[in-house]
Amino acid sequence: MNIIIACGGTGGHLFPGIAVAQQLRKLGHHPVLLISRKEVDAEASRKYGDLDFHTIQAIAKPPLLSLKTPLFLWNLARTYLSCARILKQERADAVVGMGGFTSMPPVRAAKSLGLRTFVHDSNALPGKSNRLTARWCTKVLLGMAEAAAYFPGSTCEVVGTPVREELYHLPGREEARTRLGLPADKPLILVTGGSQGARNLNSLLVEAAKDDPDVHYLVIAGRLDHDRVQELAAGAPNITVTGFCSDMPAAYAAADGVIARSGASTLTELSVIGKACLLVPFPFAADDHQTHNARVFTGHGAATMCQQADLTGDTVRKFVHDTVLNAEKRTAMEDAMRALARPNAAEAIARAITQA
């Protein structure tokens, strides 16, 4: 089967789409990934050169009364037509959107061509674009069961959110630290704000790390914020700053604990590898969906949550020293995190697409 996967725009949509493509390739199908023109998508297309990518124009929907709305509608129509051409060119049998506005035009085009259509939503609180896209879908695929209530007119299946194959094959802790040039003799905390970075989170964590010299912090700052954060961390030997980490398996394996946003893709990766984490939801996420995600995990004892407005150095130190460095508490949180994993999510999505 020729299967189109629309998955660009953010790492939370892109990397699950890549995982599905990898699984479909294993099964002998031909996946083609539609991505946006953002740098995170370009980076992935270079790294996963064995997969087929097409770039489409996809822009986020502005507020309804915005002056940008006419331009958005014009670009949406152009993207719809270009997607229809790609579907015909690739002789597509089915289309799956991994969420966001990159998904809507190809799914709508597929529906008009009479193809099987799917959308995947990884959050506890689905986005508005996915709720709209769902009306054209054969089936809605969900990362969390809590989302089903938001698709009352659709056929839903809870499949989990897939992660890339390399996250199932982590290096050992010592090897990981050697690969990343990190000290072997200190506890290590990984700080990551997701593919878009996190300016305020980066600033708060660097200041907290400076007051905690016996613990090493690896801060993935995002490319746009790298230079600023590097300057903030200057003179602190216990802080390593990088703009982008192309070896996330090593970063996860090296870490004793993680401080992160609560995007669904990040949470899925943390559950698969089983890491104790402090979740700091992005306060401006649509409909505050990252807080909804975090509550699912904290409700199972798999994480601790702190809103960004309440985050202080004391909060960070309490998590690090009372949980991460407490073997009993850390193990309990890691076990609870692993219990939420759905390691067969990519297989479940591939099966839903190919057997519908």
Side-chain angles (χ1 to χ4, degrees), residues 165-245:
E165 288 181 6
E166 57 260 43
L167 292 178
Y168 291 103
H169 308 286
L170 301 188
R173 183 175 183 269
E174 183 176 344
E175 178 190 343
R177 294 194 178 195
T178 299
R179 273 159 53 170
L180 297 175
L182 299 170
D185 58 346
K186 283 188 175 183
L188 184 110
I189 302 298
L190 170 64
V191 180
T192 174
S195 63
Q196 305 302 300
R199 184 181 178 91
N200 290 336
L201 182 64
N202 291 339
S203 298
L204 287 164
L205 264 297
V206 166
E207 292 306 314
K210 287 180 177 178
D211 294 331
D212 198 11
D214 294 329
V215 176
H216 200 86
Y217 288 77
L218 170 60
V219 181
I220 303 176
R223 284 194 176 89
L224 296 179
D225 204 24
H226 172 265
D227 292 347
R228 185 189 68 87
V229 177
Q230 186 74 65
E231 187 174 340
L232 284 178
N238 68 317
I239 304 175
T240 298
V241 179
T242 183
F244 176 81
C245 182

Side-chain angles (χ1 to χ4, degrees), residues 16-287:
I18 288 171
V20 173
Q22 290 172 330
Q23 178 61 26
L24 288 167
R25 281 276 301 270
K26 279 186 182 178
L27 297 174
H29 302 291
H30 175 224
V32 175
L33 297 99
L34 303 186
I35 58 174
S36 76
R37 297 171 181 172
K38 289 185 176 181
E39 178 58 29
V40 64
D41 294 7
E43 181 77 30
S45 67
R46 290 191 291 268
K47 181 177 179 181
Y48 298 95
D50 58 326
L51 297 174
D52 294 332
F53 292 87
H54 276 290
T55 301
I56 62 173
Q57 183 170 346
I59 57 174
K61 179 181 176 299
L64 186 60
L65 300 179
S66 170
L67 294 175
K68 297 180 180 179
T69 297
L71 178 61
F72 165 76
L73 294 174
W74 169 248
N75 284 326
L76 192 64
R78 291 176 59 200
T79 304
Y80 167 84
L81 293 173
S82 67
C83 288
R85 286 194 295 271
I86 292 171
L87 299 187
K88 293 175 183 177
Q89 173 188 322
E90 296 292 340
R91 299 181 182 274
D93 296 298
V95 172
V96 55
M98 299 305 294
F101 274 96
T102 305
S103 294
M104 189 167 64
V107 168
R108 183 67 186 89
K111 179 68 173 177
S112 69
L113 294 172
L115 306 180
R116 288 183 289 175
T117 52
F118 305 84
V119 67
H120 179 271
D121 196 296
S122 55
N123 293 296
L125 177 63
K128 291 183 176 67
S129 60
N130 281 359
R131 290 183 234 177
L132 175 61
T133 303
R135 68 179 64 185
W136 302 308
C137 288
T138 307
K139 183 179 284 188
V140 176
L141 308 172
L142 302 177
M144 300 186 195
E146 289 80 1
Y150 298 92
F151 299 100
S154 302
T155 300
C156 296
E157 181 180 347
V158 181
V159 294
T161 295
V163 301
R164 295 158 286 170
E165 288 181 6
E166 57 260 43
L167 292 178
Y168 291 103
H169 308 286
L170 301 188
R173 183 175 183 269
E174 183 176 344
E175 178 190 343
R177 294 194 178 195
T178 299
R179 273 159 53 170
L180 297 175
L182 299 170
D185 58 346
K186 283 188 175 183
L188 184 110
I189 302 298
L190 170 64
V191 180
T192 174
S195 63
Q196 305 302 300
R199 184 181 178 91
N200 290 336
L201 182 64
N202 291 339
S203 298
L204 287 164
L205 264 297
V206 166
E207 292 306 314
K210 287 180 177 178
D211 294 331
D212 198 11
D214 294 329
V215 176
H216 200 86
Y217 288 77
L218 170 60
V219 181
I220 303 176
R223 284 194 176 89
L224 296 179
D225 204 24
H226 172 265
D227 292 347
R228 185 189 68 87
V229 177
Q230 186 74 65
E231 187 174 340
L232 284 178
N238 68 317
I239 304 175
T240 298
V241 179
T242 183
F244 176 81
C245 182
S246 61
D247 193 355
M248 283 306 295
Y252 282 133
D256 297 298
V258 179
I259 300 175
R261 295 301 197 194
S262 48
S265 185
T266 296
L267 290 172
T268 301
E269 293 179 354
L270 290 169
S271 68
V272 166
I273 63 176
K275 287 291 179 180
C277 60
L278 170 62
L279 300 176
V280 186
F282 178 51
F284 306 108
D287 300 320

